[in-house]
Amino acid sequence: MNNLQKILFVDRDGTLIKEPADEQIDSFEKLEFYPGALTYLPKIAKELDFELVMVTNQDGLGTASYPENTFWPVHNFILKTFEAEGVKFDNIVIDRTFPADKAPTRKPGTALLTQYLDADKYDLQGSFTIGDRKNDVLLARNLGAKAIWLNNNSGLGGGEFTEADHIDDTIALESTDWKQIYEFLKLGQRVVEHRRTTKETDIYMH
């Protein structure tokens, strides 16, 4: 029986909240929650056995172009809003670098997530990233997980990668609907439970 912990690595901008044209949520006027996120992420948190980890790139946070005092009030409000609905992230991982820095800490790099590479504790094959950008899919591939891609065809962040970065075999679900994401993960949980009852050894979804 697989008793390892599964993880959902959840993006913030474009996934939990909508992303504005300038790609920077630095005021409450720009804040708009992603449709369905406040309904279905709480159901996932309550009903399914995933550890929740927020992983977000915040380009230049702490620099003159993105002062911290414009970031934290909105960010903390987002967290409190989700907590009020039953969602508390086990960890929040923020990378502050710019794309040009090509830092190993920036998604899809895993340098800030090394604690989750412990194969004796975590089931990465049964884990997922959830995000709207290609770097969220590539993060899944780099972690050995699968991706749920909220592909709204925005093309945001696409300039960071090349066509050589094949991602199709990493995508478990492509949907912009949080209800479908919840149903997909719920179905996976049911498959796991069914396999446990039949004493099969392969209990994670492919």
Side-chain angles (χ1 to χ4, degrees), residues 52-201:
L52 298 179
V53 179
M54 181 188 291
V55 187
T56 178
N57 291 340
Q58 296 294 327
D59 299 5
L61 179 60
T63 68
S65 65
Y66 199 176
E68 300 219 24
N69 63 358
T70 66
F71 170 79
W72 290 109
V74 180
H75 180 72
N76 289 333
F77 178 81
I78 294 167
L79 295 181
K80 287 180 180 178
T81 302
F82 274 97
E83 282 184 23
E85 300 302 320
V87 176
K88 185 169 177 60
F89 289 93
D90 297 279
N91 192 13
I92 298 171
V93 178
I94 300 172
D95 180 72
R96 300 161 174 256
T97 66
F98 291 102
D101 298 331
K102 299 189 182 303
T105 54
R106 181 181 176 83
K107 285 190 294 184
T110 61
L112 293 178
L113 300 170
T114 55
Q115 71 190 82
Y116 301 108
L117 302 179
D118 184 351
D120 293 326
K121 185 175 181 182
Y122 294 105
D123 173 15
L124 287 175
Q125 288 184 310
S127 299
F128 298 88
T129 63
I130 304 178
D132 68 313
R133 295 195 182 202
K134 190 174 179 180
N135 63 21
D136 296 298
V137 179
L138 291 170
L139 175 64
R141 189 182 70 182
N142 292 342
L143 288 168
K146 292 292 185 181
I148 295 172
W149 192 15
L150 280 77
N151 183 13
N152 56 22
N153 295 308
S154 71
L156 290 175
E160 296 183 53
F161 311 103
T162 67
E163 290 303 316
D165 291 312
H166 299 297
I167 57 176
D168 288 351
D169 59 350
T170 301
I171 299 169
L173 175 68
E174 188 170 337
S175 174
T176 56
D177 186 340
W178 266 98
K179 183 173 186 285
Q180 288 184 358
I181 293 171
Y182 161 72
E183 290 172 345
F184 170 80
L185 293 172
K186 182 78 170 178
L187 175 64
Q189 190 83 1
R190 289 197 191 106
V191 171
V192 167
E193 289 168 356
H194 173 70
R195 287 179 176 169
R196 281 179 177 154
T197 60
T198 56
K199 295 184 166 55
E200 291 186 28
T201 55

Side-chain angles (χ1 to χ4, degrees), residues 5 13 19 172 175 197:
Q5 179 63 53
D13 303 353
E19 190 156 21
S175 174
T197 60

